């Protein structure tokens, strides 16, 4: 399967992997990579870098929204092979090391297997490496508060709930929000289209995930790049508040 690479703004590409998105920010010859898809998405990940005129050697850093397997899949590969630093919120660093796991369990999936889309999603997840052991040996907390000195100048925004250390990334100059799984626009197990929270079984603490939508609603932007689903064009505030209304 070829990577579905879509340029959504100057120097900003949203890539649709197998059920998960990642984002490529380019500036000159350097790249910031936000998330890495499943372990089984590696070929697509590397192809997406080539598609924007880059290469894994050009990735200045990997930023991880949260340490679920469908976002962390190739982070250790890039760190170990190319020396690429892997940055997360400080609360998510031990999660990336797999000192604990805040991820939907097999039991939760079985209990929800009657829901539309859950069984096909489960089969795909197994095939893509969703149950693989993919720790990052030496993840690092974000090196500074505020804009990171990386292509795109992303600003980490702590949005706990999906996991304790989930972080979105705001690009205020570009009017872009990379929301990870704090705010989605679709999912294989969801019958809803448009701004939404992921189904309940995916959140470590659903109430905090709902509360984090207010954090996102306070950010300026007109372009939402989610961890799951298509790009959403329109005020980020309205998207976050629509997701909150649907969640309550």
């Amino acid at each position: 399967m070829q990577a579905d690479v879509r340029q959504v703004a100057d120097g900003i590409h949203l890539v649709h992997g197998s059920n998960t998105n990642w984002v490529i920010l380019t500036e000159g010859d350097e790249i910031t990579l936000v998330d890495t898809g499943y372990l089984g998405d590696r070929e697509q990940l590397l192809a997406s870098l080539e598609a924007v005129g880059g290469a894994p050697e050009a990735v200045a850093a990997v930023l991880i929204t949260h340490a679920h397997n469908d976002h962390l899949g190739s982070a250790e590969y890039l760190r170990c092979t190319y020396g690429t630093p892997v940055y997360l919120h400080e609360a998510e660093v031990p999660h990336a090391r797999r000192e604990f796991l805040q991820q939907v369990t097999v039991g939760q999936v079985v209990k929800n297997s009657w829901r539309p889309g859950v069984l096909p999603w489960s089969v795909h997840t197994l095939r893509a490496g969703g149950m693989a052991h993919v720790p990052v040996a030496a993840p690092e907390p974000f090196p500074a508060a505020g804009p990171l000195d990386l292509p795109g100048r992303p600003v980490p925004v702590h949005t706990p709930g999906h996991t304790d250390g989930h972080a979105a990334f705001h690009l205020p100059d570009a009017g872009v929000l990379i929301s990870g799984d704090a705010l989605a626009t679709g999912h294989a197990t969801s019958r809803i289209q448009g701004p939404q929270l992921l189904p309940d079984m995916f959140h470590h603490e659903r109430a905090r995930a709902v509360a984090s939508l207010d954090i996102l609603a306070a950010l300026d932007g007109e372009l939402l790049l989610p961890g799951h689903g298509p790009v959403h064009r329109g005020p980020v505030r309205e998207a976050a508040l629509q997701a909150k209304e649907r969640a309550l």
Side-chain angles (χ1 to χ4, degrees), residues 14-27:
L14 178 66
V15 186
H16 299 289
S18 61
N19 286 355
T20 307
N21 303 333
W22 56 88
V23 177
I24 301 172
L25 308 176
T26 61
E27 187 175 294

Side-chain angles (χ1 to χ4, degrees), residues 102-214:
Q102 295 178 343
Q103 188 165 279
V104 64
T105 65
V106 173
Q108 288 173 306
V109 173
V110 170
K111 287 180 182 178
N112 286 273
S113 62
W114 60 273
R115 297 181 182 276
V118 170
L119 281 178
W121 169 83
S122 301
V123 171
H124 173 269
T125 295
L126 289 171
R127 290 175 174 170
M131 299 301 292
H133 188 55
V134 290
V136 179
E140 302 175 52
F142 300 128
L148 301 177
D149 188 18
L150 294 168
R153 301 297 182 268
V155 181
V157 181
H158 187 207
T159 45
H162 187 65
T163 65
D164 286 346
H166 188 287
F169 296 97
H170 187 211
L171 283 61
D173 292 343
V176 172
L177 175 66
I178 303 169
S179 59
D181 285 6
L183 176 56
T185 60
H187 192 267
T189 65
S190 173
R191 301 302 92 181
I192 302 172
Q193 299 297 317
Q196 61 188 281
L197 278 183
L198 292 176
D200 292 355
M201 68 176 176
F202 294 113
H203 300 296
H204 180 62
E205 292 185 76
R206 184 182 184 277
R208 292 181 81 194
V210 172
S212 283
L213 291 171
D214 288 331

Side-chain angles (χ1 to χ4, degrees), residues 24-32 49 52-61 151:
I24 301 172
L25 308 176
T26 61
E27 187 175 294
D29 295 331
E30 285 198 313
I31 288 172
T32 301
L49 295 174
V52 303
E57 296 91 338
V59 179

